[in-house]
């Protein structure tokens, strides 16, 4: 595995790979690699000739009161994991090269970036869209891989790619979970043992939503209220949002009559966790009168 820190060196390598007729699979990360990242890498290795991952804790996607400074950084361990996973190139640029002091260009994906997490983390998705666009330009992958846990991020990136005609395919892969259902996330490292147990309430809440919808509940407000009741079992859980939205435009859904995304952001103590589930509404009962 080759570790690259400079933007120009990464671009030169990518151009050479492409000129050789090989395809590039790209997994952008902020490091603190876990099984979720490894599942994306595995798929990239299956699909593409060469796999590149980036490790860059992107300052522009953190708000002033957020955890940029204490975000887990474990480069030496990440390097070992990446090597073991069979990565070809690890791109880890310096913040000063990505955002020089005169940097002033940002990408905004309107409306989508204001819903769900966007309402609680102003500017977050502008930071995400900007860095992903920059990384796609530098790495020039054929396919880039993202996890479903960050569903809104994936919708925003797909929209940006479509709107700006960026020549890359975006693949979104299922959330990888702990045995108790907790979605894998680098931020799980902040949780102590008790909080980790409490955090499984997010998945239980999503499962309740799935059961209710599959049993035929069509009223979103009722599903959301059932979910909030379950979350209430954990005294330390503080809800940012519990929402039922259209998975394409992330607009609130009142009547569940097609596929929905149930999404939530909940603080467990001082740690903000997000999770979501795609749920199909109850299939129409078929007529069985022989017609
Ligand atoms: O999902 C992440 O880890 C980050 O938001 C990403 C896509 C690497 C951009 O910094």
């Amino acid at each position: 595995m080759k570790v690259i820190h400079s933007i120009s060196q990464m671009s030169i390598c990518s151009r050479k790979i492409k000129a050789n007729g090989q395809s590039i699979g790209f997994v952008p990360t902020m490091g603190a690699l876990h099984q979720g990242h490894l599942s994306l890498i595995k798929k990239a290795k299956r699909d593409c000739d060469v796999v590149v991952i980036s490790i860059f804790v992107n300052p522009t996607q953190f708000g002033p009161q957020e955890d940029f400074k204490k975000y887990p950084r474990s480069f030496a361990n990440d390097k070992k994991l990446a090597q073991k996973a069979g990565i070809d190139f690890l791109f880890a640029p310096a913040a000063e090269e990505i955002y020089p002091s005169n940097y002033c260009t940002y990408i905004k994906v309107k409306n989508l970036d204001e819903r769900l997490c966007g309402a609680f983390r102003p500017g977050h998705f502008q930071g995400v869209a900007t860095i992903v666009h920059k990384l796609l330009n530098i790495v020039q992958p054929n396919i880039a891989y993202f996890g479903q846990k960050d569903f809104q991020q994936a919708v925003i990136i797909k929209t940006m790619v479509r709107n700006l005609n960026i020549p890359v395919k975006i693949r979104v892969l299922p959330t990888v979970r702990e045995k108790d259902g907790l979605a894998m996330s680098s931020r799980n490292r902040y949780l102590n043992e008790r909080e980790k147990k409490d955090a499984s309430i997010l998945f239980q809440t999503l499962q309740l939503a799935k059961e209710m919808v599959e049993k035929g509940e069509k009223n979103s407000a009722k599903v959301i209220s059932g979910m909030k009741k379950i979350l209430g079992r954990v005294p330390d859980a503080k809800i940012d949002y519990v929402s039922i939205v259209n998975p394409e435009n992330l607009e609130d859904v009142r009547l569940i009559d097609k596929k929905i995304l149930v999404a939530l952001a909940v603080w467990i103590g001082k740690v903000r966790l997000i999770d979501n589930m795609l749920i199909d509404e109850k299939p129409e009962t078929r007529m069985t009168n022989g017609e």
Side-chain angles (χ1 to χ4, degrees), residues 225-265:
S225 140
M227 292 172 76
K228 286 186 174 167
K229 246 186 227 155
I230 300 241
L231 286 166
R233 288 184 198 157
V234 171
D236 271 357
K238 196 182 122 278
I239 299 172
D240 265 1
Y241 65 81
V242 174
S243 298
I244 297 187
V245 298
N246 174 324
E248 269 148 48
N249 56 23
L250 307 181
E251 275 173 19
D252 283 329
V253 164
R254 286 207 191 136
L255 177 73
I256 304 172
D257 59 357
K258 48 178 134 29
K259 199 175 198 169
I260 49 162
L261 178 81
V262 182
L264 71 177

Side-chain angles (χ1 to χ4, degrees), residues 19-151:
N20 264 344
Q22 290 180 299
S23 59
I24 301 177
F26 177 46
V27 180
T29 84
M30 297 208 297
L33 300 183
H34 51 69
Q35 290 301 324
H37 296 118
L38 296 179
S39 81
L40 303 181
I41 292 169
K42 212 164 160 190
K43 179 78 172 108
K45 277 182 68 69
R46 249 185 273 140
D47 293 346
C48 302
D49 301 313
V50 173
V51 176
V52 180
I53 74 162
S54 62
I55 294 184
F56 180 66
V57 184
N58 175 36
T60 63
Q61 69 188 74
F62 291 81
Q65 307 305 324
E66 293 185 355
D67 56 342
F68 173 66
K69 280 212 177 105
K70 74 166 196 176
Y71 194 84
R73 288 162 173 87
S74 49
F75 190 70
N77 193 49
D78 287 347
K79 212 163 111 179
K80 277 190 211 143
L81 288 173
Q83 181 121 38
K84 204 161 152 222
I87 294 296
D88 301 285
F89 293 91
L90 193 175
F91 176 49
E96 305 74 52
E97 209 191 348
I98 293 284
Y99 299 115
S101 57
N102 54 353
Y103 190 84
C104 53
T105 305
Y106 293 91
I107 305 270
K108 179 167 171 61
V109 180
K110 268 169 73 177
N111 301 328
L112 286 173
D113 69 343
E114 281 160 18
R115 304 198 173 119
L116 303 175
C117 283
F120 295 85
R121 303 187 68 190
H124 167 67
F125 289 111
Q126 177 169 300
V128 170
T130 302
I131 189 61
V132 171
H133 193 308
K134 283 172 74 77
L135 291 169
L136 292 175
N137 280 344
I138 297 164
V139 176
Q140 304 154 51
N142 299 76
I143 311 181
Y145 297 83
F146 297 86
Q148 191 196 308
K149 193 198 67 126
D150 297 299
F151 193 96

Side-chain angles (χ1 to χ4, degrees), residues 10-22 24 140:
M10 185 69 245
S11 294
I12 290 168
C13 284
S14 292
R15 271 203 294 277
K16 277 191 191 151
I17 295 162
K18 295 286 230 11
N20 264 344
Q22 290 180 299
I24 301 177
Q140 304 154 51

